[in-house]
Structure formats: structure tokens, C-alpha cells
Amino acid sequence: MYPQATHPSEAKPRLAAAGAAGLLSSVAAYQTALAAGAPLGDTVYGGRAPTTEGVLDPAWRVASAGAATTLGFAAWMVAARGGLVRNRFLSDRFVRNGTWVLAGLLAANTASNLAGRHPVERWGMGSVTATSSALCFVVARRG
């Protein structure tokens, strides 16, 4: 069973953690599909990654697999910081600081997504990273 919030002030960070973890997991699934050969390669990497009929070239598919793994870890970390899952592997300090770093990286990534060529990257992923960043800031501020 998941740990329960013990104080009403915990509800907001828990909800934010659930939202951020859900968004990050969704993007991880998208990157997994790209790594597996989904013909959506024009929607990522600024539209500059080489593709064949929309499928990313092998090196970029490996990059997507790495991105999926990183995003999966990020989703777990923000869920752990938000108290949604138990953290038995990393120090609380690492998870707390990592959530702050993640919030900043997502904010920076929003700028690069907004500069993308494809509308899915520009508006879809730009919205996802902006929202995820804001939610991660809420979780990182958790007392």
C-alpha cells in the first residue's frame, strides 16, 4: 500500500507529484515507442534527427531509449518526493535536490520544445514540459 498523507498540507504536493509523474511517464512511453520504431521521428529532437519514413535512425532510437529510461527514473523520483511511493534506494537529500534539478531542467527543456519545428513538439511537448516543471517545483518545495 502507498504511504498516506498525514497532514492536509501534504495533499497539494501529493497531487502535484501524481500529475508530474503521470506526465513524465507518458513522455517516457512516447520515447519508448520512438525507440521501438514508431514513425513519429519528425516530432522530436527539433525535427532535426535523421529519419526514414518517420522512423528515427538507429543512433537516435538509442537516444530515445535513454530518454525513456531517464524519464522513467524522473517519474519515480518525483513520486517518491511527493510521498506516493516508498523510497528505499536513494537518500532523501538526493531525491529532494534531484526534484529541484528536474524542475529546472524541465523549464529549460520547455524553451527548446517551443523552438521545435513540429507542432507536436512545439505545442504538445512544450505544454507538457512547462506543466511538469511547474508541478515539480510544487513537489520540490514540499516541507
Side-chain angles (χ1 to χ4, degrees), residues 24-36 38-44 64 68 71 118 120-121 125:
L24 292 166
S25 295
S26 296
V27 179
Y30 191 76
Q31 288 288 351
T32 299
L34 289 163
L40 302 167
D42 296 336
T43 66
V44 292
S64 283
L71 287 161
H118 198 281
V120 168
E121 183 173 24
M125 293 308 220

Side-chain angles (χ1 to χ4, degrees), residues 43-123:
T43 66
V44 292
Y45 303 116
R48 293 168 182 86
T51 62
T52 303
E53 296 181 14
V55 176
L56 291 170
D57 283 0
W60 290 93
R61 290 172 69 179
V62 170
S64 283
T69 302
T70 302
L71 287 161
F73 173 74
W76 174 85
M77 185 173 60
V78 77
R81 175 69 179 146
L84 300 177
V85 297
R86 289 196 191 339
N87 171 19
R88 296 182 181 143
F89 306 105
L90 300 171
S91 72
D92 289 340
R93 182 178 179 183
F94 180 91
V95 172
R96 181 182 60 247
N97 291 339
T99 304
W100 279 110
V101 169
L102 177 61
L105 289 173
L106 287 167
N109 188 241
T110 299
S112 66
N113 282 335
L114 293 174
R117 295 178 181 176
H118 198 281
V120 168
E121 183 173 24
R122 190 168 44 253
W123 304 115

